[in-house]
Amino acid sequence: MADTSVEDLKQQFHAALDAARTPAALKALRDDYLGRKHGRVTALVKSIATAPPEDRRTLGAAANTLKQQIEQALKAREAGVAADARPADALDVTLPGRRGWTGRRHPLTQVRERVEDIFMAMGYQVIEGPEVEDDWHNFEALNMPAAHPARDMQDTLYLSSPVPAPDDGRAATLLRTHTSGMQIRYMEQHEPPVRIIAPGRVYRRDNFDATHTPMFTQVEGLVVDEDITLGDLKGTLNAFAEEFFDARVATRFRPSFFPYTEPSAELDVECQGCSGRGCPLCKQTGWIEILGCGMVHPAVFEAVGYDPDRYTGFAFGVGIERLALRLYGVDDIRMFYENDLRFLEQVAL
Ligand SMILES: [Zn+2]
């Protein structure tokens, strides 16, 4: 009698176990068989006390075995159901993925490096120098002595007295207004031939508006050797523009004036915003100025001890912000300095 009862219970349990597919169904099954108060196996074990004494040993052993078998079967199934349930419960495969944030260099840094790469490929050496400059390197040696009216062209941020002592032009210190001072610094320490570019930040007392910032970036260039001509200058800078914009772009050299070059010119490229028809970005001219250039003035060679009868050369100063405006078709220079990620991520090269 007792054996049959244990065997029945075992078969009923396994039938119920096959049907139990969820954690809740397994919990109910466990309560039904192993529950402390009303579990069927619990009741079976309790019934041993009232069984005939000769059956108690057999019945007890059978009940214990069944209890252990049920316990093991439930544990195995519970683990399986939990593993099956996890993907459906915990992972929504329809959710869009989370994109990682990728750091990158600032657009102006990338433009500057692009300019450097182009000139390095042409055999130029990249040099750097101080942003705090003295009067001699920023003005005096560049053919702008103290009384020279050309100093009025640039509103200078002085760090010391704006009037240099008569016998010492190096006394006044200032934030450099251009990278042209690096021409002097390099030529003072090297003999020709010279073929350098000098990238860096420069400072002027400009308003902060769509086309001006008090701090901006220039790449100065200088080539000095025997027989360097205006043709070399034009060929070099046209090749640079073509390489930089990765296409044939219309350019024009417009006569200009700088104290340290003679003759002087500005290089314009056709406006990207309007393809030359005229728009606010190009002030309706159809052209955007990207650099100033010219043949090195003999007075500059004299200041650094080069023989102006033997050597000639050309110099240029590229405005990195202006190149970036043209390259990206941006119409407000301030956007490069506001650190708005929505803008910066759009203009990455
Ligand atoms: Zn335009």
Side-chain angles (χ1 to χ4, degrees):
M1 268 305 273
D3 283 353
T4 309
S5 156
V6 168
E7 194 56 35
D8 286 350
L9 210 50
K10 188 175 175 178
Q11 285 177 10
Q12 286 165 16
F13 168 78
H14 281 290
L17 184 65
D18 282 345
R21 302 280 174 196
T22 66
L26 283 170
K27 171 81 166 52
L29 188 60
R30 175 179 283 279
D31 286 346
D32 192 21
Y33 281 81
L34 301 179
R36 278 171 188 261
K37 284 188 176 169
H38 307 293
R40 296 196 205 187
V41 177
T42 312
L44 177 69
V45 172
K46 280 179 184 167
S47 73
I48 294 170
T50 57
E54 64 273 21
D55 293 340
R56 283 182 196 165
R57 179 180 291 268
T58 320
L59 190 58
N64 266 327
T65 304
L66 178 63
K67 189 179 174 184
Q68 285 169 13
Q69 286 171 344
I70 288 178
E71 183 66 52
Q72 282 174 5
L74 278 171
K75 273 190 179 168
R77 177 59 62 86
E78 281 162 0
V81 167
D84 288 348
R86 195 170 296 129
D89 290 353
L91 185 69
D92 182 351
V93 295
T94 66
L95 272 177
R98 289 193 196 109
R99 204 161 52 92
W101 289 91
T102 309
R104 54 169 75 90
R105 285 159 303 161
H106 192 277
L108 292 178
T109 303
Q110 296 187 40
V111 169
R112 194 199 74 214
E113 288 177 350
R114 187 162 164 159
V115 172
E116 290 174 8
D117 286 347
I118 292 169
F119 282 106
M120 281 194 288
M122 292 193 221
Y124 286 67
Q125 185 189 345
V126 181
I127 62 165
E128 287 185 5
E131 291 176 24
V132 173
E133 189 55 283
D134 56 45
D135 190 89
W136 167 259
H137 291 97
N138 198 77
F139 291 126
E140 188 102 10
L142 287 163
N143 198 26
M144 286 182 279
H148 198 287
R151 292 196 182 202
D152 295 336
M153 288 167 59
Q154 297 162 352
D155 262 346
T156 308
L157 290 157
Y158 281 94
L159 301 173
S160 64
S161 164
V163 183
D167 58 340
D168 187 7
R170 295 166 198 253
T173 53
L174 47 90
L175 291 176
R176 65 181 177 187
T177 57
H178 50 192
T179 42
S180 306
M182 289 308 297
Q183 293 183 28
I184 304 303
R185 286 187 174 276
Y186 188 85
M187 287 191 287
E188 281 175 339
Q189 299 189 351
H190 300 81
E191 288 298 312
V194 173
R195 193 176 293 231
I196 55 157
I197 56 169
R201 282 187 285 263
V202 301
Y203 303 84
R204 293 186 199 174
R205 291 182 57 191
D206 262 332
N207 291 328
F208 193 50
D209 62 29
T211 53
H212 296 89
T213 48
M215 182 197 81
F216 55 101
T217 318
Q218 272 189 344
V219 176
E220 187 77 13
L222 176 69
V223 173
V224 180
D225 204 347
E226 294 176 7
D227 302 324
I228 298 292
T229 68
L230 187 64
D232 295 320
L233 177 153
K234 291 183 73 172
T236 300
L237 296 179
N238 273 331
F240 161 72
E242 192 167 312
E243 192 69 29
F244 182 85
F245 294 111
D246 208 16
R248 268 191 188 284
V249 288
T251 60
R252 69 174 186 187
F253 286 86
R254 191 162 33 80
S256 185
F257 171 77
F258 304 106
Y260 35 94
T261 48
E262 178 59 36
S264 303
E266 277 165 312
L267 176 63
D268 297 342
V269 294
E270 194 178 73
C271 175
Q272 174 134 307
C274 61
S275 300
R277 288 187 300 275
C279 70
L281 178 58
C282 57
K283 296 180 181 131
Q284 308 303 329
T285 63
W287 297 93
I288 292 188
E289 175 202 329
I290 60 165
L291 60 85
C293 57
M295 302 304 291
V296 179
H297 197 289
V300 174
F301 285 151
E302 281 167 10
V304 297
Y306 281 13
D307 180 357
D309 292 327
R310 181 178 172 194
Y311 295 111
T312 51
F314 65 84
F316 53 89
V318 184
I320 293 299
E321 283 78 2
R322 286 177 188 280
L323 279 181
L325 290 176
R326 170 63 172 70
L327 184 66
Y328 299 122
V330 173
D331 60 6
D332 192 329
I333 203 170
R334 289 170 291 194
M335 302 191 75
F336 289 112
Y337 289 106
E338 285 170 349
N339 285 333
D340 185 334
L341 280 177
R342 291 169 301 180
F343 169 76
L344 295 177
E345 292 198 325
Q346 280 184 64
V347 298
L349 284 170

